[in-house]
Amino acid sequence: MSSSTPDPADPVFRLHVGGKMAVTSTVPLTSREDLSLAYTPGVARVCEAIAADPDLADTYTWVSHTVAVVTDGSAVLGLGNIGPRAALPVMEGKAVLFKQFAGVDAVPVCLDTQDVDEIVAAVRAIAPSFGGINLEDISAPRCFEVERRLDEALDIPVFHDDQHGTAIVVLAALRNAATLLNRKLGDLRVAVSGAGAAGVAVTKMLIAGGVDPARVVVCDSRGIIGRHRELTGTKAELADLTNAEGREGDVTEALRGADVLVGVSGGQIPEAAVAGMAPGGIVFALANPTPEVHPEVAARHVAVVATGRSDYPNQINNVLAFPGVFRGALDAGATRITDAMKVAAADAIAGVVAESLTADAIVPSPLDPRVAPAVADAVAEAARRDGVARR
């Protein structure tokens, strides 16, 4: 039987019967008085108050603790463009992680369109029901425009987790790996393999966190990105920002003498390329389920290895970031999520294990209950410093 064929005896399919979430009431509904308070006629007074002062929706509805998890199904996990219905189990999973780790209520919204204008219009139309928008599994390069336009149009946080969640945790992990190896971020030569949503965000986040852009080289499927190539959009921005030495060639050339490899491409990187890195290096091979470099192979040549998998040490997992990021943004009533808020989230994640670092423990476990509160506090404080908080 194929792994995708429903098997009633399979625990994965058994768990998913009926979905993974439901809506429950937070108020009693056992008497006529309860009904009159929660619904008509009492609810009309609340509606009138919000109509007179829309900001009251934060107090008298679920908006202050609820986000929409929005996808078009175009880049789901490692499965690719499987569409909105097939994406729904992932969005439900994301929603229950929000609730479990940060007490944030989340609603899956799977859109039956992959047109940028239609996605933006749909999210703008539903935005009054939510305190934030978590974009999920939308393929590059459309995801960049969707996020940018929604961020400009809405006064609530918009966050594409495939970009920024990964980037935040990578920065946290690299900060701790550098500390463990007695290195400074600004001195590290970094190669990023992959220039999609995650690769672009990781590059920008590492630079925001202290990595020298001149010492960063980014590769896509055609090789090193630089001014020697005719590029447009985000890749042209990367060419202007990175690769100050003007390197050309493939990932092997990008890794020659590099201190750090961040793999977010899904493509395989030969062992010989990793062997060409500087001594005492760091490899984050994050493709799932098959890392760009097998961790046991990478460990032959570098000092610290991380993957996206749960069966190896140092799992770079978005769940370390997004629940606390949204909890903090909602608590502060943030109108957007700034770079400083993302850097603060990375610092908070790193700080959870800062006193107990080993080569096999540069990030907390995704199940560590300390993470989301620490991230939330740091993000809320950064939002207030950046002037984007309403409370």
Side-chain angles (χ1 to χ4, degrees):
M1 181 179 290
S2 163
S3 63
S4 60
T5 301
D7 177 2
D10 187 324
V12 170
F13 284 96
R14 286 205 310 270
L15 181 142
H16 282 80
V17 172
K20 297 190 290 284
M21 57 186 297
V23 174
T24 61
S25 174
T26 62
V27 298
L29 291 172
T30 58
S31 67
R32 292 175 63 89
E33 182 181 7
D34 292 340
L35 289 175
S36 70
L37 292 172
Y39 199 53
T40 184
V43 72
R45 293 168 54 194
V46 180
C47 295
E48 290 174 333
I50 294 172
D53 181 1
D55 287 344
L56 291 176
D58 286 350
T59 302
Y60 295 111
T61 74
W62 74 350
V63 162
S64 64
H65 56 85
T66 307
V67 303
V69 182
V70 179
T71 189
D72 64 355
S74 61
V76 181
L77 299 178
L79 304 174
N81 188 356
I82 60 174
R85 286 179 180 82
L88 186 53
V90 177
M91 303 309 118
E92 287 186 357
K94 196 67 174 281
V96 298
L97 293 175
F98 266 116
K99 187 67 173 180
Q100 176 68 26
F101 292 110
V104 172
D105 292 293
V107 178
V109 179
C110 297
L111 300 176
D112 193 12
T113 178
Q114 294 183 358
D115 178 84
V116 170
D117 291 339
E118 292 181 358
I119 293 170
V120 171
V123 176
R124 289 185 65 178
I126 66 171
S129 294
F130 301 99
I133 305 295
N134 183 101
L135 300 174
E136 188 77 15
D137 292 350
I138 299 174
S139 63
R142 291 178 303 108
C143 61
F144 303 122
E145 184 178 0
V146 169
E147 185 184 48
R148 178 186 61 78
R149 288 173 56 179
L150 287 173
D151 195 44
E152 292 173 354
L154 301 178
D155 62 352
I156 57 176
V158 178
F159 184 86
H160 186 208
D161 188 47
D162 302 292
Q163 294 181 61
H164 310 301
T166 299
I168 287 167
V169 184
V170 167
L171 176 58
L174 186 58
R175 198 177 288 290
N176 276 348
T179 298
L180 182 68
L181 300 175
N182 198 27
R183 305 289 298 276
K184 294 181 179 180
L185 287 186
D187 295 334
L188 297 175
R189 299 176 68 93
V190 178
V192 178
S193 178
V200 171
V202 164
T203 301
K204 292 182 176 180
M205 180 57 53
L206 293 182
I207 292 168
V211 172
D212 182 353
R215 301 172 73 85
V216 177
V217 176
V218 183
C219 294
D220 64 8
S221 59
R222 293 177 52 202
I224 293 174
I225 289 174
R227 296 182 181 179
H228 60 284
R229 291 173 50 184
E230 291 187 8
L231 300 164
T232 60
T234 304
K235 290 185 181 181
E237 294 177 17
L238 288 179
D240 288 338
L241 187 63
T242 63
N243 192 16
E245 295 179 356
R247 289 197 184 194
E248 301 181 24
D250 61 9
V251 69
T252 299
E253 171 61 21
L255 283 174
R256 184 173 53 83
D259 300 296
V260 181
L261 162 64
V262 180
V264 281
S265 65
Q268 293 300 290
I269 296 175
E271 181 174 358
V274 179
M277 295 176 64
I282 300 164
V283 166
F284 296 167
L286 305 184
N288 240 331
T290 305
E292 290 86 353
V293 184
H294 193 283
E296 293 174 9
V297 172
R300 297 172 191 160
H301 305 283
V302 301
V304 178
V305 180
T307 72
R309 293 174 54 136
S310 60
D311 53 348
Y312 287 97
N314 296 326
Q315 185 187 15
I316 306 297
N317 192 318
N318 289 10
V319 77
L320 290 169
F322 70 81
V325 168
F326 269 98
R327 178 76 274 168
L330 292 169
D331 288 348
T335 57
R336 57 190 296 264
I337 294 175
T338 65
D339 284 346
M341 292 163 70
K342 290 179 277 190
V343 171
D347 290 346
I349 294 168
V352 170
V353 293
E355 300 302 319
S356 57
L357 291 178
T358 70
D360 287 340
I362 58 169
V363 288
S365 162
L367 298 174
D368 192 319
R370 299 172 295 172
V371 175
V375 172
D377 289 346
V379 167
E381 183 179 344
R384 297 182 182 106
R385 287 198 305 266
D386 276 0
V388 297
R390 289 179 288 199
R391 53 178 175 270

